[in-house]
Amino acid sequence: MPIDLDHYDTRILAELQADARLSMAELGRRVHLSQPAVTERVRKLEAAGVITGYRATVNLGALGYGIRAIMRVGRAEYNRVIKVLQATPEVVNAYNVTGEDSWIFEIAVIDVAHLDAVVTRFCILTETSTSIILNPAREHQIMLPPRREDVKPPIKKVENA
């Protein structure tokens, strides 16, 4: 059940998602609250499970990973996929999903030969399909609580009489 967030909480979330290294004093200045007040609000957001952690965003290319790809993995025994997944550090993100595929992985590899080696680990289990990411159009989107007024109703079909 989502918690009730006010304008200050929403601003705090936006600022921390943009830069989690902000000091509490600077965060307070940006959202127009005192340092103790903003610190208390951040602690409450953490305690409520809204803020679940802080991390550095890493440029994978700068680390030597020249290729990022999305790999779709078909139906396979869950535990077998998990076992291979745990032994594959190149998988950056892994999602168990509904639909034609059972899994979607984001992987980072050095080159095409490395890509082939990683994909092969999963091809042994089931069918896979891989797409190389050419250009990420959006990553790490700042997310705020949804507002009903922002949700557009579906387009209604007009049927001929």
Side-chain angles (χ1 to χ4, degrees), residues 68-76 78 81-82 85 90-108 118 122 126-131 133:
R68 288 175 49 203
I70 301 296
M71 181 170 45
R72 290 165 297 285
V73 178
R75 291 180 183 90
Y78 182 88
V81 174
I82 292 295
L85 179 61
E90 296 88 348
V91 177
V92 178
N93 292 299
Y95 307 98
N96 185 216
V97 299
T98 62
E100 277 186 47
D101 302 314
S102 291
W103 296 89
I104 297 178
F105 300 149
E106 177 186 351
I107 58 178
V118 172
F122 292 94
T126 187
E127 295 179 17
T128 66
S129 173
T130 305
S131 300
I133 298 170

PDB file of all heavy atoms in Angstrom, residues 68-76 78 81-82 85 90-108 118 122 126-131 133:
ATOM      1  N   ARG A  68      26.561  -3.553 -24.601  1.00  0.00           N
ATOM      2  CA  ARG A  68      25.448  -3.867 -23.705  1.00  0.00           C
ATOM      3  C   ARG A  68      24.358  -4.465 -24.570  1.00  0.00           C
ATOM      4  O   ARG A  68      24.159  -4.056 -25.706  1.00  0.00           O
ATOM      5  CB  ARG A  68      24.939  -2.609 -23.008  1.00  0.00           C
ATOM      6  CG  ARG A  68      25.920  -2.120 -21.962  1.00  0.00           C
ATOM      7  CD  ARG A  68      25.525  -0.823 -21.322  1.00  0.00           C
ATOM      8  NE  ARG A  68      24.155  -0.822 -20.866  1.00  0.00           N
ATOM      9  CZ  ARG A  68      23.453   0.301 -20.693  1.00  0.00           C
ATOM     10  NH1 ARG A  68      23.987   1.467 -20.940  1.00  0.00           N
ATOM     11  NH2 ARG A  68      22.215   0.242 -20.260  1.00  0.00           N
ATOM     12  N   ALA A  69      23.660  -5.441 -24.028  1.00  0.00           N
ATOM     13  CA  ALA A  69      22.631  -6.120 -24.812  1.00  0.00           C
ATOM     14  C   ALA A  69      21.469  -6.521 -23.920  1.00  0.00           C
ATOM     15  O   ALA A  69      21.602  -6.622 -22.699  1.00  0.00           O
ATOM     16  CB  ALA A  69      23.219  -7.360 -25.495  1.00  0.00           C
ATOM     17  N   ILE A  70      20.336  -6.735 -24.574  1.00  0.00           N
ATOM     18  CA  ILE A  70      19.153  -7.285 -23.928  1.00  0.00           C
ATOM     19  C   ILE A  70      19.006  -8.707 -24.438  1.00  0.00           C
ATOM     20  O   ILE A  70      19.022  -8.941 -25.644  1.00  0.00           O
ATOM     21  CB  ILE A  70      17.886  -6.466 -24.266  1.00  0.00           C
ATOM     22  CG1 ILE A  70      18.039  -5.009 -23.831  1.00  0.00           C
ATOM     23  CG2 ILE A  70      16.644  -7.116 -23.670  1.00  0.00           C
ATOM     24  CD1 ILE A  70      18.183  -4.788 -22.349  1.00  0.00           C
ATOM     25  N   MET A  71      18.894  -9.649 -23.516  1.00  0.00           N
ATOM     26  CA  MET A  71      18.711 -11.043 -23.909  1.00  0.00           C
ATOM     27  C   MET A  71      17.379 -11.527 -23.352  1.00  0.00           C
ATOM     28  O   MET A  71      17.097 -11.376 -22.166  1.00  0.00           O
ATOM     29  CB  MET A  71      19.848 -11.919 -23.376  1.00  0.00           C
ATOM     30  CG  MET A  71      19.701 -13.367 -23.788  1.00  0.00           C
ATOM     31  SD  MET A  71      21.135 -14.431 -23.454  1.00  0.00           S
ATOM     32  CE  MET A  71      21.586 -13.998 -21.812  1.00  0.00           C
ATOM     33  N   ARG A  72      16.572 -12.072 -24.243  1.00  0.00           N
ATOM     34  CA  ARG A  72      15.298 -12.677 -23.853  1.00  0.00           C
ATOM     35  C   ARG A  72      15.497 -14.188 -23.800  1.00  0.00           C
ATOM     36  O   ARG A  72      16.039 -14.770 -24.735  1.00  0.00           O
ATOM     37  CB  ARG A  72      14.214 -12.282 -24.855  1.00  0.00           C
ATOM     38  CG  ARG A  72      13.862 -10.787 -24.737  1.00  0.00           C
ATOM     39  CD  ARG A  72      13.076 -10.270 -25.915  1.00  0.00           C
ATOM     40  NE  ARG A  72      13.772 -10.318 -27.195  1.00  0.00           N
ATOM     41  CZ  ARG A  72      14.753  -9.471 -27.554  1.00  0.00           C
ATOM     42  NH1 ARG A  72      15.152  -8.535 -26.743  1.00  0.00           N
ATOM     43  NH2 ARG A  72      15.324  -9.563 -28.740  1.00  0.00           N
ATOM     44  N   VAL A  73      15.074 -14.781 -22.703  1.00  0.00           N
ATOM     45  CA  VAL A  73      15.274 -16.212 -22.484  1.00  0.00           C
ATOM     46  C   VAL A  73      13.904 -16.864 -22.378  1.00  0.00           C
ATOM     47  O   VAL A  73      13.043 -16.412 -21.620  1.00  0.00           O
ATOM     48  CB  VAL A  73      16.101 -16.452 -21.198  1.00  0.00           C
ATOM     49  CG1 VAL A  73      16.268 -17.930 -20.924  1.00  0.00           C
ATOM     50  CG2 VAL A  73      17.452 -15.749 -21.302  1.00  0.00           C
ATOM     51  N   GLY A  74      13.715 -17.936 -23.138  1.00  0.00           N
ATOM     52  CA  GLY A  74      12.438 -18.653 -23.154  1.00  0.00           C
ATOM     53  C   GLY A  74      12.188 -19.450 -21.896  1.00  0.00           C
ATOM     54  O   GLY A  74      12.913 -19.347 -20.905  1.00  0.00           O
ATOM     55  N   ARG A  75      11.171 -20.268 -21.965  1.00  0.00           N
ATOM     56  CA  ARG A  75      10.779 -21.074 -20.803  1.00  0.00           C
ATOM     57  C   ARG A  75      11.829 -22.139 -20.505  1.00  0.00           C
ATOM     58  O   ARG A  75      12.238 -22.880 -21.389  1.00  0.00           O
ATOM     59  CB  ARG A  75       9.428 -21.719 -21.058  1.00  0.00           C
ATOM     60  CG  ARG A  75       8.310 -20.705 -21.093  1.00  0.00           C
ATOM     61  CD  ARG A  75       6.966 -21.365 -21.359  1.00  0.00           C
ATOM     62  NE  ARG A  75       5.930 -20.352 -21.454  1.00  0.00           N
ATOM     63  CZ  ARG A  75       5.575 -19.764 -22.591  1.00  0.00           C
ATOM     64  NH1 ARG A  75       6.142 -20.113 -23.728  1.00  0.00           N
ATOM     65  NH2 ARG A  75       4.627 -18.838 -22.597  1.00  0.00           N
ATOM     66  N   ALA A  76      12.219 -22.167 -19.250  1.00  0.00           N
ATOM     67  CA  ALA A  76      13.178 -23.174 -18.775  1.00  0.00           C
ATOM     68  C   ALA A  76      12.927 -23.363 -17.290  1.00  0.00           C
ATOM     69  O   ALA A  76      12.283 -22.530 -16.653  1.00  0.00           O
ATOM     70  CB  ALA A  76      14.614 -22.710 -19.018  1.00  0.00           C
ATOM     71  N   TYR A  78      13.078 -22.977 -13.663  1.00  0.00           N
ATOM     72  CA  TYR A  78      13.441 -21.778 -12.898  1.00  0.00           C
ATOM     73  C   TYR A  78      14.784 -21.939 -12.178  1.00  0.00           C
ATOM     74  O   TYR A  78      15.669 -21.094 -12.304  1.00  0.00           O
ATOM     75  CB  TYR A  78      12.325 -21.465 -11.892  1.00  0.00           C
ATOM     76  CG  TYR A  78      12.555 -20.224 -11.075  1.00  0.00           C
ATOM     77  CD1 TYR A  78      12.135 -18.977 -11.532  1.00  0.00           C
ATOM     78  CD2 TYR A  78      13.186 -20.277  -9.841  1.00  0.00           C
ATOM     79  CE1 TYR A  78      12.340 -17.830 -10.795  1.00  0.00           C
ATOM     80  CE2 TYR A  78      13.399 -19.136  -9.095  1.00  0.00           C
ATOM     81  CZ  TYR A  78      12.973 -17.916  -9.572  1.00  0.00           C
ATOM     82  OH  TYR A  78      13.192 -16.780  -8.837  1.00  0.00           O
ATOM     83  N   VAL A  81      17.832 -21.809 -14.464  1.00  0.00           N
ATOM     84  CA  VAL A  81      18.137 -20.445 -14.918  1.00  0.00           C
ATOM     85  C   VAL A  81      18.814 -19.675 -13.790  1.00  0.00           C
ATOM     86  O   VAL A  81      19.825 -18.989 -14.005  1.00  0.00           O
ATOM     87  CB  VAL A  81      16.867 -19.715 -15.405  1.00  0.00           C
ATOM     88  CG1 VAL A  81      17.169 -18.255 -15.735  1.00  0.00           C
ATOM     89  CG2 VAL A  81      16.263 -20.423 -16.608  1.00  0.00           C
ATOM     90  N   ILE A  82      18.291 -19.787 -12.586  1.00  0.00           N
ATOM     91  CA  ILE A  82      18.869 -19.081 -11.430  1.00  0.00           C
ATOM     92  C   ILE A  82      20.321 -19.511 -11.213  1.00  0.00           C
ATOM     93  O   ILE A  82      21.192 -18.676 -10.948  1.00  0.00           O
ATOM     94  CB  ILE A  82      18.027 -19.315 -10.158  1.00  0.00           C
ATOM     95  CG1 ILE A  82      16.671 -18.627 -10.276  1.00  0.00           C
ATOM     96  CG2 ILE A  82      18.759 -18.843  -8.902  1.00  0.00           C
ATOM     97  CD1 ILE A  82      16.728 -17.105 -10.355  1.00  0.00           C
ATOM     98  N   LEU A  85      22.378 -17.929 -13.895  1.00  0.00           N
ATOM     99  CA  LEU A  85      22.370 -16.486 -13.634  1.00  0.00           C
ATOM    100  C   LEU A  85      23.359 -16.118 -12.532  1.00  0.00           C
ATOM    101  O   LEU A  85      24.140 -15.175 -12.659  1.00  0.00           O
ATOM    102  CB  LEU A  85      20.951 -16.048 -13.266  1.00  0.00           C
ATOM    103  CG  LEU A  85      20.723 -14.593 -12.925  1.00  0.00           C
ATOM    104  CD1 LEU A  85      21.064 -13.698 -14.098  1.00  0.00           C
ATOM    105  CD2 LEU A  85      19.269 -14.384 -12.522  1.00  0.00           C
ATOM    106  N   GLU A  90      28.145 -11.037 -15.823  1.00  0.00           N
ATOM    107  CA  GLU A  90      27.875 -10.090 -16.913  1.00  0.00           C
ATOM    108  C   GLU A  90      26.411  -9.653 -16.964  1.00  0.00           C
ATOM    109  O   GLU A  90      26.079  -8.686 -17.645  1.00  0.00           O
ATOM    110  CB  GLU A  90      28.263 -10.704 -18.272  1.00  0.00           C
ATOM    111  CG  GLU A  90      29.742 -10.998 -18.431  1.00  0.00           C
ATOM    112  CD  GLU A  90      30.147 -12.386 -17.936  1.00  0.00           C
ATOM    113  OE1 GLU A  90      29.358 -13.069 -17.258  1.00  0.00           O
ATOM    114  OE2 GLU A  90      31.285 -12.784 -18.235  1.00  0.00           O
ATOM    115  N   VAL A  91      25.531 -10.368 -16.260  1.00  0.00           N
ATOM    116  CA  VAL A  91      24.115  -9.977 -16.220  1.00  0.00           C
ATOM    117  C   VAL A  91      23.976  -8.829 -15.223  1.00  0.00           C
ATOM    118  O   VAL A  91      24.156  -8.996 -14.024  1.00  0.00           O
ATOM    119  CB  VAL A  91      23.205 -11.163 -15.840  1.00  0.00           C
ATOM    120  CG1 VAL A  91      21.752 -10.702 -15.738  1.00  0.00           C
ATOM    121  CG2 VAL A  91      23.337 -12.283 -16.862  1.00  0.00           C
ATOM    122  N   VAL A  92      23.661  -7.654 -15.764  1.00  0.00           N
ATOM    123  CA  VAL A  92      23.541  -6.442 -14.961  1.00  0.00           C
ATOM    124  C   VAL A  92      22.182  -6.388 -14.270  1.00  0.00           C
ATOM    125  O   VAL A  92      22.084  -6.046 -13.094  1.00  0.00           O
ATOM    126  CB  VAL A  92      23.730  -5.186 -15.853  1.00  0.00           C
ATOM    127  CG1 VAL A  92      23.567  -3.909 -15.060  1.00  0.00           C
ATOM    128  CG2 VAL A  92      25.083  -5.232 -16.551  1.00  0.00           C
ATOM    129  N   ASN A  93      21.126  -6.703 -15.002  1.00  0.00           N
ATOM    130  CA  ASN A  93      19.765  -6.727 -14.481  1.00  0.00           C
ATOM    131  C   ASN A  93      19.082  -7.984 -15.005  1.00  0.00           C
ATOM    132  O   ASN A  93      19.296  -8.366 -16.154  1.00  0.00           O
ATOM    133  CB  ASN A  93      18.961  -5.497 -14.939  1.00  0.00           C
ATOM    134  CG  ASN A  93      19.467  -4.218 -14.308  1.00  0.00           C
ATOM    135  OD1 ASN A  93      19.451  -4.070 -13.099  1.00  0.00           O
ATOM    136  ND2 ASN A  93      19.940  -3.299 -15.130  1.00  0.00           N
ATOM    137  N   ALA A  94      18.256  -8.601 -14.172  1.00  0.00           N
ATOM    138  CA  ALA A  94      17.541  -9.815 -14.566  1.00  0.00           C
ATOM    139  C   ALA A  94      16.105  -9.712 -14.100  1.00  0.00           C
ATOM    140  O   ALA A  94      15.845  -9.343 -12.947  1.00  0.00           O
ATOM    141  CB  ALA A  94      18.204 -11.044 -13.952  1.00  0.00           C
ATOM    142  N   TYR A  95      15.183 -10.022 -15.003  1.00  0.00           N
ATOM    143  CA  TYR A  95      13.759  -9.940 -14.694  1.00  0.00           C
ATOM    144  C   TYR A  95      13.066 -11.232 -15.106  1.00  0.00           C
ATOM    145  O   TYR A  95      13.202 -11.665 -16.246  1.00  0.00           O
ATOM    146  CB  TYR A  95      13.112  -8.771 -15.444  1.00  0.00           C
ATOM    147  CG  TYR A  95      13.817  -7.462 -15.213  1.00  0.00           C
ATOM    148  CD1 TYR A  95      14.730  -6.972 -16.138  1.00  0.00           C
ATOM    149  CD2 TYR A  95      13.580  -6.716 -14.058  1.00  0.00           C
ATOM    150  CE1 TYR A  95      15.387  -5.771 -15.925  1.00  0.00           C
ATOM    151  CE2 TYR A  95      14.224  -5.518 -13.832  1.00  0.00           C
ATOM    152  CZ  TYR A  95      15.138  -5.045 -14.775  1.00  0.00           C
ATOM    153  OH  TYR A  95      15.788  -3.862 -14.554  1.00  0.00           O
ATOM    154  N   ASN A  96      12.345 -11.839 -14.189  1.00  0.00           N
ATOM    155  CA  ASN A  96      11.481 -12.968 -14.492  1.00  0.00           C
ATOM    156  C   ASN A  96      10.147 -12.349 -14.907  1.00  0.00           C
ATOM    157  O   ASN A  96       9.558 -11.598 -14.138  1.00  0.00           O
ATOM    158  CB  ASN A  96      11.345 -13.836 -13.239  1.00  0.00           C
ATOM    159  CG  ASN A  96      10.566 -15.112 -13.467  1.00  0.00           C
ATOM    160  OD1 ASN A  96       9.841 -15.533 -12.591  1.00  0.00           O
ATOM    161  ND2 ASN A  96      10.692 -15.741 -14.612  1.00  0.00           N
ATOM    162  N   VAL A  97       9.689 -12.623 -16.136  1.00  0.00           N
ATOM    163  CA  VAL A  97       8.559 -11.902 -16.713  1.00  0.00           C
ATOM    164  C   VAL A  97       7.467 -12.838 -17.223  1.00  0.00           C
ATOM    165  O   VAL A  97       7.667 -14.041 -17.340  1.00  0.00           O
ATOM    166  CB  VAL A  97       9.030 -10.994 -17.887  1.00  0.00           C
ATOM    167  CG1 VAL A  97      10.029  -9.959 -17.405  1.00  0.00           C
ATOM    168  CG2 VAL A  97       9.643 -11.825 -19.018  1.00  0.00           C
ATOM    169  N   THR A  98       6.324 -12.229 -17.554  1.00  0.00           N
ATOM    170  CA  THR A  98       5.242 -12.965 -18.196  1.00  0.00           C
ATOM    171  C   THR A  98       5.384 -12.798 -19.704  1.00  0.00           C
ATOM    172  O   THR A  98       6.152 -11.974 -20.183  1.00  0.00           O
ATOM    173  CB  THR A  98       3.873 -12.413 -17.760  1.00  0.00           C
ATOM    174  OG1 THR A  98       3.773 -11.050 -18.185  1.00  0.00           O
ATOM    175  CG2 THR A  98       3.695 -12.511 -16.265  1.00  0.00           C
ATOM    176  N   GLY A  99       4.619 -13.571 -20.447  1.00  0.00           N
ATOM    177  CA  GLY A  99       4.633 -13.447 -21.903  1.00  0.00           C
ATOM    178  C   GLY A  99       5.373 -14.594 -22.558  1.00  0.00           C
ATOM    179  O   GLY A  99       5.600 -15.643 -21.963  1.00  0.00           O
ATOM    180  N   GLU A 100       5.773 -14.378 -23.802  1.00  0.00           N
ATOM    181  CA  GLU A 100       6.468 -15.420 -24.566  1.00  0.00           C
ATOM    182  C   GLU A 100       7.781 -15.828 -23.920  1.00  0.00           C
ATOM    183  O   GLU A 100       8.161 -16.992 -23.936  1.00  0.00           O
ATOM    184  CB  GLU A 100       6.754 -14.929 -25.987  1.00  0.00           C
ATOM    185  CG  GLU A 100       5.593 -15.074 -26.926  1.00  0.00           C
ATOM    186  CD  GLU A 100       5.993 -14.711 -28.342  1.00  0.00           C
ATOM    187  OE1 GLU A 100       7.048 -15.183 -28.812  1.00  0.00           O
ATOM    188  OE2 GLU A 100       5.244 -13.955 -28.967  1.00  0.00           O
ATOM    189  N   ASP A 101       8.500 -14.851 -23.403  1.00  0.00           N
ATOM    190  CA  ASP A 101       9.767 -15.128 -22.740  1.00  0.00           C
ATOM    191  C   ASP A 101       9.523 -15.278 -21.248  1.00  0.00           C
ATOM    192  O   ASP A 101       8.570 -14.750 -20.706  1.00  0.00           O
ATOM    193  CB  ASP A 101      10.753 -13.972 -22.973  1.00  0.00           C
ATOM    194  CG  ASP A 101      10.999 -13.727 -24.450  1.00  0.00           C
ATOM    195  OD1 ASP A 101      11.223 -14.710 -25.171  1.00  0.00           O
ATOM    196  OD2 ASP A 101      10.962 -12.553 -24.872  1.00  0.00           O
ATOM    197  N   SER A 102      10.405 -15.993 -20.588  1.00  0.00           N
ATOM    198  CA  SER A 102      10.310 -16.123 -19.136  1.00  0.00           C
ATOM    199  C   SER A 102      11.264 -15.178 -18.423  1.00  0.00           C
ATOM    200  O   SER A 102      11.067 -14.852 -17.268  1.00  0.00           O
ATOM    201  CB  SER A 102      10.625 -17.555 -18.716  1.00  0.00           C
ATOM    202  OG  SER A 102       9.583 -18.414 -19.139  1.00  0.00           O
ATOM    203  N   TRP A 103      12.311 -14.782 -19.129  1.00  0.00           N
ATOM    204  CA  TRP A 103      13.339 -13.927 -18.536  1.00  0.00           C
ATOM    205  C   TRP A 103      13.762 -12.848 -19.512  1.00  0.00           C
ATOM    206  O   TRP A 103      13.810 -13.084 -20.717  1.00  0.00           O
ATOM    207  CB  TRP A 103      14.577 -14.750 -18.177  1.00  0.00           C
ATOM    208  CG  TRP A 103      14.334 -15.783 -17.135  1.00  0.00           C
ATOM    209  CD1 TRP A 103      13.925 -17.075 -17.341  1.00  0.00           C
ATOM    210  CD2 TRP A 103      14.457 -15.621 -15.734  1.00  0.00           C
ATOM    211  NE1 TRP A 103      13.795 -17.720 -16.143  1.00  0.00           N
ATOM    212  CE2 TRP A 103      14.121 -16.847 -15.135  1.00  0.00           C
ATOM    213  CE3 TRP A 103      14.833 -14.559 -14.917  1.00  0.00           C
ATOM    214  CZ2 TRP A 103      14.149 -17.040 -13.757  1.00  0.00           C
ATOM    215  CZ3 TRP A 103      14.863 -14.757 -13.550  1.00  0.00           C
ATOM    216  CH2 TRP A 103      14.520 -15.985 -12.992  1.00  0.00           C
ATOM    217  N   ILE A 104      14.131 -11.697 -18.973  1.00  0.00           N
ATOM    218  CA  ILE A 104      14.787 -10.649 -19.750  1.00  0.00           C
ATOM    219  C   ILE A 104      16.011 -10.216 -18.951  1.00  0.00           C
ATOM    220  O   ILE A 104      15.909  -9.887 -17.770  1.00  0.00           O
ATOM    221  CB  ILE A 104      13.858  -9.451 -20.018  1.00  0.00           C
ATOM    222  CG1 ILE A 104      12.665  -9.901 -20.864  1.00  0.00           C
ATOM    223  CG2 ILE A 104      14.627  -8.323 -20.702  1.00  0.00           C
ATOM    224  CD1 ILE A 104      11.645  -8.828 -21.155  1.00  0.00           C
ATOM    225  N   PHE A 105      17.166 -10.252 -19.600  1.00  0.00           N
ATOM    226  CA  PHE A 105      18.429  -9.884 -18.957  1.00  0.00           C
ATOM    227  C   PHE A 105      19.039  -8.700 -19.690  1.00  0.00           C
ATOM    228  O   PHE A 105      18.996  -8.624 -20.918  1.00  0.00           O
ATOM    229  CB  PHE A 105      19.461 -11.022 -19.023  1.00  0.00           C
ATOM    230  CG  PHE A 105      19.044 -12.297 -18.352  1.00  0.00           C
ATOM    231  CD1 PHE A 105      19.494 -13.509 -18.826  1.00  0.00           C
ATOM    232  CD2 PHE A 105      18.226 -12.301 -17.228  1.00  0.00           C
ATOM    233  CE1 PHE A 105      19.137 -14.696 -18.214  1.00  0.00           C
ATOM    234  CE2 PHE A 105      17.863 -13.479 -16.604  1.00  0.00           C
ATOM    235  CZ  PHE A 105      18.321 -14.688 -17.101  1.00  0.00           C
ATOM    236  N   GLU A 106      19.639  -7.814 -18.932  1.00  0.00           N
ATOM    237  CA  GLU A 106      20.526  -6.805 -19.517  1.00  0.00           C
ATOM    238  C   GLU A 106      21.924  -7.300 -19.214  1.00  0.00           C
ATOM    239  O   GLU A 106      22.245  -7.615 -18.056  1.00  0.00           O
ATOM    240  CB  GLU A 106      20.312  -5.433 -18.879  1.00  0.00           C
ATOM    241  CG  GLU A 106      21.277  -4.400 -19.431  1.00  0.00           C
ATOM    242  CD  GLU A 106      21.214  -3.059 -18.730  1.00  0.00           C
ATOM    243  OE1 GLU A 106      20.309  -2.841 -17.900  1.00  0.00           O
ATOM    244  OE2 GLU A 106      22.095  -2.229 -18.998  1.00  0.00           O
ATOM    245  N   ILE A 107      22.753  -7.398 -20.244  1.00  0.00           N
ATOM    246  CA  ILE A 107      24.106  -7.912 -20.048  1.00  0.00           C
ATOM    247  C   ILE A 107      25.128  -6.897 -20.545  1.00  0.00           C
ATOM    248  O   ILE A 107      24.842  -6.081 -21.429  1.00  0.00           O
ATOM    249  CB  ILE A 107      24.304  -9.284 -20.724  1.00  0.00           C
ATOM    250  CG1 ILE A 107      24.009  -9.223 -22.221  1.00  0.00           C
ATOM    251  CG2 ILE A 107      23.439 -10.339 -20.088  1.00  0.00           C
ATOM    252  CD1 ILE A 107      24.246 -10.532 -22.939  1.00  0.00           C
ATOM    253  N   ALA A 108      26.310  -6.950 -19.968  1.00  0.00           N
ATOM    254  CA  ALA A 108      27.429  -6.091 -20.370  1.00  0.00           C
ATOM    255  C   ALA A 108      28.623  -6.998 -20.644  1.00  0.00           C
ATOM    256  O   ALA A 108      28.986  -7.824 -19.796  1.00  0.00           O
ATOM    257  CB  ALA A 108      27.758  -5.097 -19.271  1.00  0.00           C
ATOM    258  N   VAL A 118      28.591 -15.559 -23.278  1.00  0.00           N
ATOM    259  CA  VAL A 118      27.530 -15.370 -22.285  1.00  0.00           C
ATOM    260  C   VAL A 118      26.213 -15.922 -22.801  1.00  0.00           C
ATOM    261  O   VAL A 118      25.505 -16.649 -22.090  1.00  0.00           O
ATOM    262  CB  VAL A 118      27.390 -13.875 -21.903  1.00  0.00           C
ATOM    263  CG1 VAL A 118      26.163 -13.642 -21.034  1.00  0.00           C
ATOM    264  CG2 VAL A 118      28.651 -13.394 -21.192  1.00  0.00           C
ATOM    265  N   PHE A 122      23.193 -19.576 -21.704  1.00  0.00           N
ATOM    266  CA  PHE A 122      21.737 -19.656 -21.566  1.00  0.00           C
ATOM    267  C   PHE A 122      21.092 -20.427 -22.717  1.00  0.00           C
ATOM    268  O   PHE A 122      20.034 -21.022 -22.537  1.00  0.00           O
ATOM    269  CB  PHE A 122      21.144 -18.251 -21.437  1.00  0.00           C
ATOM    270  CG  PHE A 122      21.536 -17.587 -20.148  1.00  0.00           C
ATOM    271  CD1 PHE A 122      22.637 -16.755 -20.085  1.00  0.00           C
ATOM    272  CD2 PHE A 122      20.825 -17.835 -18.988  1.00  0.00           C
ATOM    273  CE1 PHE A 122      23.017 -16.161 -18.894  1.00  0.00           C
ATOM    274  CE2 PHE A 122      21.190 -17.249 -17.781  1.00  0.00           C
ATOM    275  CZ  PHE A 122      22.292 -16.407 -17.733  1.00  0.00           C
ATOM    276  N   THR A 126      17.577 -23.168 -23.093  1.00  0.00           N
ATOM    277  CA  THR A 126      16.354 -22.914 -23.854  1.00  0.00           C
ATOM    278  C   THR A 126      16.649 -21.934 -24.985  1.00  0.00           C
ATOM    279  O   THR A 126      17.783 -21.499 -25.158  1.00  0.00           O
ATOM    280  CB  THR A 126      15.246 -22.352 -22.924  1.00  0.00           C
ATOM    281  OG1 THR A 126      14.031 -22.257 -23.644  1.00  0.00           O
ATOM    282  CG2 THR A 126      15.615 -20.992 -22.364  1.00  0.00           C
ATOM    283  N   GLU A 127      15.618 -21.555 -25.701  1.00  0.00           N
ATOM    284  CA  GLU A 127      15.769 -20.567 -26.770  1.00  0.00           C
ATOM    285  C   GLU A 127      16.080 -19.196 -26.183  1.00  0.00           C
ATOM    286  O   GLU A 127      15.581 -18.840 -25.121  1.00  0.00           O
ATOM    287  CB  GLU A 127      14.474 -20.444 -27.579  1.00  0.00           C
ATOM    288  CG  GLU A 127      14.107 -21.682 -28.336  1.00  0.00           C
ATOM    289  CD  GLU A 127      12.794 -21.514 -29.095  1.00  0.00           C
ATOM    290  OE1 GLU A 127      12.339 -20.368 -29.285  1.00  0.00           O
ATOM    291  OE2 GLU A 127      12.236 -22.538 -29.478  1.00  0.00           O
ATOM    292  N   THR A 128      16.914 -18.445 -26.893  1.00  0.00           N
ATOM    293  CA  THR A 128      17.214 -17.076 -26.484  1.00  0.00           C
ATOM    294  C   THR A 128      17.138 -16.172 -27.712  1.00  0.00           C
ATOM    295  O   THR A 128      17.203 -16.635 -28.845  1.00  0.00           O
ATOM    296  CB  THR A 128      18.618 -16.939 -25.870  1.00  0.00           C
ATOM    297  OG1 THR A 128      19.590 -17.207 -26.869  1.00  0.00           O
ATOM    298  CG2 THR A 128      18.809 -17.846 -24.680  1.00  0.00           C
ATOM    299  N   SER A 129      17.025 -14.894 -27.441  1.00  0.00           N
ATOM    300  CA  SER A 129      17.060 -13.881 -28.479  1.00  0.00           C
ATOM    301  C   SER A 129      17.800 -12.692 -27.890  1.00  0.00           C
ATOM    302  O   SER A 129      17.499 -12.266 -26.770  1.00  0.00           O
ATOM    303  CB  SER A 129      15.633 -13.495 -28.885  1.00  0.00           C
ATOM    304  OG  SER A 129      15.652 -12.404 -29.769  1.00  0.00           O
ATOM    305  N   THR A 130      18.772 -12.173 -28.629  1.00  0.00           N
ATOM    306  CA  THR A 130      19.613 -11.106 -28.094  1.00  0.00           C
ATOM    307  C   THR A 130      19.599  -9.898 -29.008  1.00  0.00           C
ATOM    308  O   THR A 130      19.679 -10.028 -30.221  1.00  0.00           O
ATOM    309  CB  THR A 130      21.066 -11.614 -27.924  1.00  0.00           C
ATOM    310  OG1 THR A 130      21.043 -12.783 -27.114  1.00  0.00           O
ATOM    311  CG2 THR A 130      21.942 -10.566 -27.285  1.00  0.00           C
ATOM    312  N   SER A 131      19.501  -8.719 -28.400  1.00  0.00           N
ATOM    313  CA  SER A 131      19.564  -7.454 -29.136  1.00  0.00           C
ATOM    314  C   SER A 131      20.633  -6.581 -28.502  1.00  0.00           C
ATOM    315  O   SER A 131      20.626  -6.366 -27.282  1.00  0.00           O
ATOM    316  CB  SER A 131      18.224  -6.711 -29.064  1.00  0.00           C
ATOM    317  OG  SER A 131      17.187  -7.489 -29.612  1.00  0.00           O
ATOM    318  N   ILE A 133      22.270  -3.160 -27.526  1.00  0.00           N
ATOM    319  CA  ILE A 133      21.794  -1.803 -27.261  1.00  0.00           C
ATOM    320  C   ILE A 133      22.697  -0.835 -28.024  1.00  0.00           C
ATOM    321  O   ILE A 133      23.902  -0.777 -27.776  1.00  0.00           O
ATOM    322  CB  ILE A 133      21.822  -1.486 -25.747  1.00  0.00           C
ATOM    323  CG1 ILE A 133      20.893  -2.434 -24.997  1.00  0.00           C
ATOM    324  CG2 ILE A 133      21.463  -0.016 -25.500  1.00  0.00           C
ATOM    325  CD1 ILE A 133      21.025  -2.354 -23.484  1.00  0.00           C
TER     326      ILE A 133
END
